Each structure stands twice: as C-alpha cells, then as structure tokens.
Amino acid sequence: MKLFAIFGDPVAHSRSPLMHNSVFKHCNYPACYTRVHLEDGSKLREIFFTLKLSGANITVPHKEAAFKACDEIRGFANRVGVVNTIVKEDGKLIGYNTDADGFIFAISEFNTIKNVLILGAGGTAKALAAKFLEESMQVTVLNRSEGRLTFFKELGCQTSIWENFQVEKYDLVVNTTSAGLKDEQLPAPQNLLEEILENVNYVADAIYGKITPFLQLARTKGLEYKDGADMLLGQGVLANELFTKQQLKKEDIKHFMQKSFEL
C-alpha cells in the first residue's frame, strides 16, 4: 500500500484526498492519500521521508520550498522554480509542476485569451506566467510590493505594484494570492479591483470550494468567472498519472476525480 499526501498551510480544506482516493478505490490501485498541515516549508523533505510517502502534492505557501527539497527537477518546473508534485524514485525526490497545464485546461472554455493580468507573485503566479507566455499571451503581473517581481521581469512579463498601476484592457484577470482562502480579504485595494473589472472579459481565482470576495465582486459586475476547481482537476489528473506511473488510463482518472466533486 503506497501513501501519498498534500502539504499546505492551510490544508484542511483540500479536496485532493477525495479526488485521489476516489481514483485509487475505483481503479483498485493499492494506495491512500492524506493531508499534512505544514507550517515550515523547510521541513517538507524530512517529513516526506518520515511518513514514508511515495509522492505528494504541495499547495500554498510551500511550492518554492518544494523545489528546493527535491533531488531532481523535471519538465516545466525547471523553468519556473516551482514544484507542486513530488514523486519518490529510488530514494530520491523528483519534482514536477502540473499547475500550469491544469490552469490551461480550466480556462479552455473561455473565448480566445491573448492578454492576461495576474494578481500576486508567488509560486502559482510564476507557473501561470511562464505557461501563458509559452501560449503566446501577453502577461502583466500586479503585486503589492516590488520585491518578488524580478523573476517576472526577467521572464518577459510587464510588472507593476499597486501604487503606480495603469489599468488597460485584459481578456482575463487571475487571482493567485491566498486572499479569500481563510479570510474575507481582497487581493488588491477594492477601488483598484473595481477599475480592473471594468476592463476585463473573464475572471478566475486559483482558490476553489468557495466564492471568494474577489469572485463576488466580479459577479456583481456580471462577469463570467471560474474558481479553481477545474484547475485543481486538471493538475490532479496529471499528478495522479505521475503517482501511478501511468498505469491507469487518463480518462478513468479524470472520471473518478470528477465523481469525487459530487460528494
């Protein structure tokens, strides 16, 4: 019996155990998936081995710490320095990033997206910004402070802080901050968000399972919006393929993960 887990702070809200355990149960795969509340990201590697995990997902705020915890990084995660999926191979921790492809899956039903505004500058923002650029989109990153914007400037994004931001027209605005996850905060000052939402076609939030204050504001404007549920599903399917070493069919993984959302 293999054991998998999700690390995060907070983590009690996570649907990942329901999703992955649904797949393991219905596909008769000998594994179980649980939650680990982790406050100190530097302890991730130690706890991973202590719990004898075979793999793990990582959510906020530990995705950059997860990158440092790995022995080897593969694929897209190398470009962004952010890991949300870890698999143990021959005693080593191998890091991947499935967030970006998961988000592309999530917004696939929106009409053509060419110009994106990202709110926040953490691990999720890094993955999405790099992926959007790969998809030939124009990307602007808006953050409270200047300190974390260097990565995005070097990547080729437009960047700004709240105080000097000049609002333009956007196809999509995405909140990648934790604002609204365990509080009723907005990801930026309300007057600034009001102006942004007057100049955007679609709105998305990486947070799932609730209508955040940000999405509530978008709803009052009559905008089409999505929470992070589809992103969670997309990245979860890819992570499960890595956990099971592609022994299960992707269609089955997706089907049983979707069924878990009905619980």
Side-chain angles (χ1 to χ4, degrees), residues 6-169:
I6 181 164
F7 290 88
D9 180 24
V11 77
H13 70 289
S14 175
R15 291 195 62 91
S16 290
L18 289 172
M19 292 164 51
H20 289 280
N21 284 328
S22 178
V23 174
F24 297 150
K25 176 183 176 181
H26 289 95
C27 294
N28 296 314
Y29 190 84
C32 183
Y33 190 109
T34 189
R35 300 179 182 91
V36 177
H37 181 211
L38 180 67
E39 295 182 341
D40 182 355
S42 68
K43 302 287 187 183
L44 192 154
R45 182 183 175 91
E46 174 188 344
I47 295 173
F48 186 104
F49 283 111
T50 298
L51 295 177
K52 299 180 180 179
L53 298 176
S54 295
N57 289 123
I58 297 86
T59 188
V60 293
H62 301 311
K63 295 180 183 182
E64 289 158 302
F67 181 91
K68 296 176 182 177
C70 291
D71 299 294
E72 181 183 338
I73 306 296
R74 293 180 185 166
F76 183 75
N78 266 311
R79 184 176 179 196
V80 294
V82 179
V83 161
N84 79 314
T85 302
I86 293 176
V87 178
K88 186 173 72 173
E89 290 184 11
D90 300 322
K92 295 182 178 181
L93 300 191
I94 313 300
Y96 300 86
N97 187 293
T98 66
D99 274 339
D101 285 330
F103 196 85
I104 294 299
F105 168 83
I107 64 171
S108 59
E109 65 189 59
F110 289 159
N111 289 332
T112 304
I113 305 295
K114 295 182 179 179
N115 193 352
V116 182
L117 173 64
I118 296 175
L119 306 178
T124 301
K126 288 181 176 180
L128 295 188
K131 191 64 179 181
F132 290 153
L133 289 173
E134 277 188 3
E135 299 287 326
S136 300
M137 301 178 191
Q138 293 181 333
V139 181
T140 302
V141 178
L142 175 62
N143 196 45
R144 178 198 297 267
S145 58
E146 186 75 29
R148 306 193 74 179
L149 292 177
T150 302
F151 171 90
F152 299 94
K153 292 176 182 177
E154 294 175 350
L155 199 61
C157 302
Q158 297 294 316
T159 65
S160 183
I161 58 174
W162 295 353
E163 286 72 19
N164 59 17
F165 184 57
Q166 298 294 315
V167 177
E168 299 178 6
K169 293 284 186 181

